[in-house]
Amino acid sequence: MSSRTGIPGADPRGRAALVAPAPGWTLDADVVVVGSGVAGLTAALRCADSGLRTVVVTKARLDDGSTRWAQGGIAAALGEGDTPEQHLDDTLVAGAGLCDEEAVRTLVTDGPAAVRRLIAAGAQFDLSATTGEIALTREGGHHRSRIAHAGGDATGAEISRALVAAARAKAVRTVENALVLDLLTTPDGHTAGVTLHVMGEGQHDGVGAVRAPAVVLATGGMGQIFSATTNPAVSTGDGVALALRAGAEVSDVEFVQFHPTVLYLGPDAEGQQPLISEAVRGEGAHLVDADGVRFMQGQHELAELAPRDIVAKGIMRRMREQGAAHMYLDARHFGAAMWESRFPTILAACRAHGIDPVAAPIPVAPAAHYASGGVRTDLHGRTTVPGLYACGETACTGVHGANRLASNSLLEGLVFAERIADAVADARATASPREEAREEAREEAAPGATATAHAPLLPPEARAEIQRIMTHGAGVLRSADSLARASAALDALPAAGTAAPAKTAEPGVDTWETANLHLVARALTAAALRRTETRGCHWREDRPDRDDAAWRRHLVITLRPDAQSPTLDSLDLTTTDSTVFPPVSPVIRKEYP
């Protein structure tokens, strides 16, 4: 293991950047928020309320991110008899020894009030017909009913609707259909904005820049590095890749949660797959094999409501034992009325694929769902690059550990986005003379001015190859051999000019996304190779046991400043020296043995 010290972001050699045209236009702001899900819009609204000039940049339309696909709900200790302490206990258990307890305590303590502020902003949750209070249900890993939902199984869509409406009512400036490329920095390494490409629809077109002393990454997940995922097509790991190229630390990226119950559409199904929410099991659905046997009984005290990694492993084991491609979720006993009122979205999705859950069990199998790791932050969303913040699935706050507890993701987006907005406002209000001088430097900052290396672009068709490599080598089941093969295959992918691809790897959205996927896939594979144990949603077949003595710690990854491409040799991996999520400082980093 190695040690590192220094001032993040101040490397005089500069950092890597995507190959892109020079910006043809600029916007100025106090803060630019990248992403328009629950985390991004919550941060943007609170920043705007503080009087900050706020710009939201989003890859598609405002409501096209992962948030609107969230079915189950948002977890918080809102019910009678429930407490933040109980919520904390369930979260720590699910995180398999790698949660940062202080971060979890912040989440569960601030959570109930954050949900009520969301309601005040216009979100309408389902109410109990008997009490008139928020209706609460259970999901995997929770010992209490604490999941608030909306529209039956359309919680994310309702939250997105409310936040988008609030952003439009407050006239928050937005740039839609825009892929963010790289971070701008001042000569001393402080954030100075971002470069971005607007994809033909919007106020601007082509590559431009938003100049701002604060950048908030809320770009969602990285599920598109796998062939089958519940994530939308925009989830290509852009925020994590940008942060790595900017010199930020990322952590825990080996912990990708595979949701156990995704609608099985056949062995060749690719792209976004329909999710069968954990709330279906929370309401009493049973996991069964082809013979109707409930195989999760006896494997965990909560049976089908065990934490997701345990359920996913239980399904995979049964599939291997029986040589089956999938298992079944049986909820026929719900009846048509309950399906139509409680789970209308899932019912419609199943029927669209020729499956009627009222009459037959639903074929299900695990698929990539959620990244528990990401850009490493402190409790105020600050990364190791001054002025760069991260929240939501893009971030690694320490809340999720090795396996996210069901429905904690929306809550994390709310709580930590609010904390980021407060930190940005405080930093702006207390700007020192040095920071005011930095403002002048920001005016001179240019995209690529600090970059000394450009990552070669991959041909667009490499995207499908990356997904195939990751699915077979770094999916639900992993081993040293499978991960080594995946690493070698990723390193062997042709860069522009080294092969004769069917389509020239010219700068553009498809090649930029592919470059981001490649970099994130390399980081994930390198970390998964290093972690020689099974923990949470990281399942090593060759190392089936959890090893607290050696591995109750976090892997921290950075990209070397002079890296020409994200090979295994260009990634620096270190481990923390304790079970406590290490502190983040925008000035001095702690040494890690």
Side-chain angles (χ1 to χ4, degrees), residues 289-557:
D289 59 19
D291 297 322
V293 176
R294 289 182 62 187
F295 56 88
M296 283 304 300
Q297 289 184 316
Q299 294 197 34
H300 190 275
E301 61 167 334
L302 297 176
E304 285 94 348
L305 285 177
R308 288 177 178 175
D309 64 309
I310 294 172
V311 178
K313 290 170 187 174
I315 291 174
M316 293 299 296
R317 288 192 185 101
R318 196 68 157 195
M319 287 166 55
R320 287 196 300 180
E321 289 170 1
Q322 300 187 341
H326 60 83
M327 290 289 107
Y328 293 92
L329 188 64
D330 192 351
R332 289 174 291 179
H333 54 284
F334 285 5
M338 180 175 173
W339 267 109
E340 290 166 1
S341 62
R342 181 67 178 87
F343 300 110
T345 306
I346 297 171
L347 179 63
C350 288
R351 286 177 170 171
H353 291 282
I355 300 160
D356 186 357
V358 177
I362 306 168
V364 294
H369 182 57
Y370 190 89
S372 292
V375 186
R376 199 168 71 85
T377 74
D378 66 5
L379 295 182
H380 297 280
R382 292 180 291 238
T383 74
T384 51
V385 174
L388 180 65
Y389 301 78
C391 59
E393 193 172 353
T394 306
C396 184
T397 62
V399 160
H400 303 308
N403 182 45
R404 174 176 67 86
L405 181 65
S407 289
N408 268 358
S409 53
L410 291 174
L411 189 70
E412 184 195 32
L414 274 182
V415 168
F416 287 91
E418 291 184 343
R419 295 175 71 85
I420 284 175
D422 293 344
V424 172
D426 289 346
R428 196 68 176 157
T430 59
S432 66
R434 179 182 177 185
E435 289 165 331
E436 291 172 1
R438 187 180 287 130
E439 285 291 289
E440 297 179 8
R442 180 170 63 87
E443 296 296 323
E444 303 299 323
T450 59
T452 60
H454 286 90
L457 295 177
L458 297 172
E461 55 268 30
R463 176 171 179 156
E465 182 64 9
I466 292 169
Q467 293 169 334
R468 185 195 67 78
I469 291 168
M470 294 300 290
T471 297
H472 291 286
V476 179
L477 302 179
R478 304 167 178 176
S479 68
D481 288 343
S482 75
L483 290 165
R485 288 194 301 269
S487 292
L490 291 169
D491 283 353
L493 285 175
T498 64
K503 181 178 179 182
T504 304
E506 297 292 335
V509 172
D510 49 1
T511 55
W512 289 325
E513 284 188 332
T514 302
N516 287 340
L517 287 170
H518 188 224
L519 176 52
V520 172
R522 289 305 296 111
L524 189 159
T525 306
L529 260 172
R530 177 70 65 86
R531 183 173 289 277
T532 53
E533 66 160 354
T534 290
R535 181 185 298 271
C537 52
H538 172 64
W539 187 2
R540 286 280 298 260
E541 290 185 282
D542 56 329
R543 300 285 184 140
D545 298 322
R546 173 169 154 177
D547 185 356
D548 280 349
W551 285 111
R552 195 176 177 188
R553 56 188 63 210
H554 303 272
L555 278 167
V556 179
I557 300 178

Side-chain angles (χ1 to χ4, degrees), residues 87-99 141 143 300-301 307 309-310 403 405 536 546:
H87 190 182
L88 180 143
D89 289 343
D90 286 344
T91 300
L92 295 180
V93 169
L98 283 190
C99 295
H143 285 79
H300 190 275
E301 61 167 334
D309 64 309
I310 294 172
N403 182 45
L405 181 65
R546 173 169 154 177

Side-chain angles (χ1 to χ4, degrees), residues 240-273:
V240 172
L242 178 152
L244 277 168
R245 288 193 296 270
E249 294 178 350
V250 304
S251 185
D252 297 356
V253 290
E254 65 271 35
F255 297 114
V256 173
Q257 186 179 83
F258 286 77
H259 198 288
T261 54
V262 176
L263 183 62
Y264 180 75
L265 298 179
D268 299 322
E270 296 181 345
Q272 186 177 8
Q273 311 289 301

Side-chain angles (χ1 to χ4, degrees), residues 2 4 137 303 350 409 586 593:
S2 62
R4 294 174 295 160
T137 190
C350 288
S409 53

